[in-house]
Amino acid sequence: MFLSLPVGGWLASLAVAGYTALTVRKIVKTEMIPAEPMGKPSPFSSLEVWFWSGIFLSSFILALTNPTALGTSARTCLPFLLAATVLGYMVGTGLPSNVKKVLHPIICCALSADLAALAFGYFSKSGTDAVLGDYLTKVPSNPGAGDILMGFLGSVIISFAFSMFKQRKLVKRHASEIFSSVIIATIFSLYSTAIIGRVIGLEPILTVSILPRCITVALALSIVSLFGGANTSLTAAVVVLTGLVGANFVQAVMDKLQLNDPIARGIATASSAHGLGTAALSAKEPEALPFCAIAYALTGIFGSLLCSVPAVRQSLLYIAG
């Protein structure tokens, strides 16, 4: 009974987002235009590399010599860790093609931040785990294996930004379909989960824990923390389960529902199965990638904003019981 909620909820959210996009397209009567081809990225200049290297070295030395200058430990480490992440991307993009097959720029981002944390932990005698704990989990504790892997999430999300910027004209042209579909799908996802959880007799704490089932795990954990007392482990598990279901079945289900429009397919996938569904669809349907990426980001942003409103939180808690 419990597992039917995230699976059935994914299917319902998919249908709501997809059909909303189609309906709005019929109202505004926008025509689909081809996406611009993704050209080879331009290499970074020496000035850019030296600029970020200077930021990294200065913030690293300042953190070592005067750790209280920037406030708490997390704020002390954040400047040079962010600079190390940017430098990692710059280095990764400049590597030969055969090396990139192993050291992708996204992997270089996370590895460079880990190496910077390792160096700071060694020289400051604070330990690497404490630095990474501050950076990845925002609390001064030892990070687990999942926290280390979550370090890659920020770099992956940033990679979507390049695709969205490249297709900004396309996204602007279809803004009405994108925003209306995301807003309606997010509201539907939150309130339908609360209602169904109440109807099938779930414990209120379980219902609240799975409310953000269609939002990427990093933001879903922040959302459930607003409600207090939620089971974050259950939240992460349900979000991942929703993404896995979407990644495996989203194309077949959309074909059955006759959601053939690439805009509707992209928005429906990202609004119902977040990052995993986006990655699965974009690999086979690149024309849907810009809409997947923007809907993926907007779903998380709007869900977070919506749940930060006290009246909305209270209404969801009331419905959940």
Side-chain angles (χ1 to χ4, degrees):
M1 181 66 74
F2 174 78
L3 290 177
S4 65
L5 202 159
V7 176
W10 162 77
L11 179 59
S13 297
L14 176 78
V16 168
Y19 287 125
T20 299
L22 289 179
T23 302
V24 175
R25 280 206 67 190
K26 291 180 180 178
I27 295 174
V28 299
K29 298 180 180 179
T30 54
E31 295 182 2
M32 180 67 184
I33 58 176
E36 297 180 19
M38 297 295 289
K40 185 178 180 180
S42 302
F44 291 97
S45 66
S46 299
L47 179 61
E48 291 173 316
V49 175
W50 280 110
F51 174 76
W52 282 102
S53 298
I55 293 178
F56 169 74
L57 288 174
S58 58
S59 57
F60 188 88
I61 293 172
L62 179 61
L64 278 177
T65 57
N66 192 7
T68 60
L70 298 176
T72 64
S73 176
R75 292 177 182 174
T76 300
C77 299
L78 189 59
F80 73 79
L81 286 172
L82 289 176
T85 302
V86 175
L87 279 173
Y89 181 79
M90 291 181 170
V91 172
T93 55
L95 294 174
S97 299
N98 57 336
V99 178
K100 284 183 182 179
K101 294 178 180 179
V102 180
L103 288 176
H104 191 275
I106 292 177
I107 295 178
C108 290
C109 286
L111 289 179
S112 60
D114 289 342
L115 290 175
L118 179 66
F120 184 83
Y122 175 78
F123 289 113
S124 66
K125 303 294 190 297
S126 61
T128 306
D129 284 348
V131 179
L132 285 177
D134 281 329
Y135 184 50
L136 300 177
T137 64
K138 303 299 184 291
V139 292
S141 61
N142 294 338
D147 296 322
I148 301 297
L149 292 175
M150 284 285 287
F152 289 89
L153 185 61
S155 302
V156 172
I157 293 174
I158 289 174
S159 69
F160 283 131
F162 291 96
S163 173
M164 287 189 288
F165 182 77
K166 181 69 177 178
Q167 308 296 346
R168 59 191 180 279
K169 293 182 180 178
L170 188 64
V171 171
K172 182 179 180 180
R173 178 183 178 87
H174 300 283
S176 56
E177 298 102 299
I178 295 170
F179 282 90
S180 59
S181 301
V182 167
I183 291 173
I184 293 174
T186 305
I187 294 174
F188 172 82
S189 174
L190 290 169
Y191 280 93
S192 64
T193 302
I195 292 171
I196 299 301
R198 180 70 173 269
V199 170
I200 66 176
L202 278 184
E203 289 289 332
I205 189 65
L206 296 179
T207 302
V208 171
S209 299
I210 63 176
L211 283 177
R213 55 181 171 75
C214 291
I215 297 173
T216 187
V217 65
L219 293 177
L221 296 178
S222 299
I223 289 173
V224 295
S225 67
L226 296 173
F227 291 89
N231 187 332
T232 55
S233 298
L234 177 61
T235 302
V238 170
V239 170
V240 172
L241 174 63
T242 302
L244 289 174
V245 172
N248 282 280
F249 301 107
V250 66
Q251 287 184 296
V253 171
M254 287 193 296
D255 290 341
K256 291 289 185 182
L257 295 176
Q258 296 184 345
L259 295 173
N260 302 318
D261 187 280
I263 298 176
R265 291 174 76 88
I267 295 173
T269 300
S271 299
S272 62
H274 45 82
L276 289 174
T278 297
L281 185 71
S282 60
K284 298 179 181 179
E285 301 181 23
E287 67 276 7
L289 176 57
F291 308 104
C292 272
I294 189 66
Y296 169 62
L298 287 176
T299 300
I301 293 171
F302 185 70
S304 301
L305 291 174
L306 195 64
C307 291
S308 66
V309 178
V312 174
R313 286 204 307 274
Q314 291 300 321
S315 65
L316 289 169
L317 288 171
Y318 178 78
I319 294 172

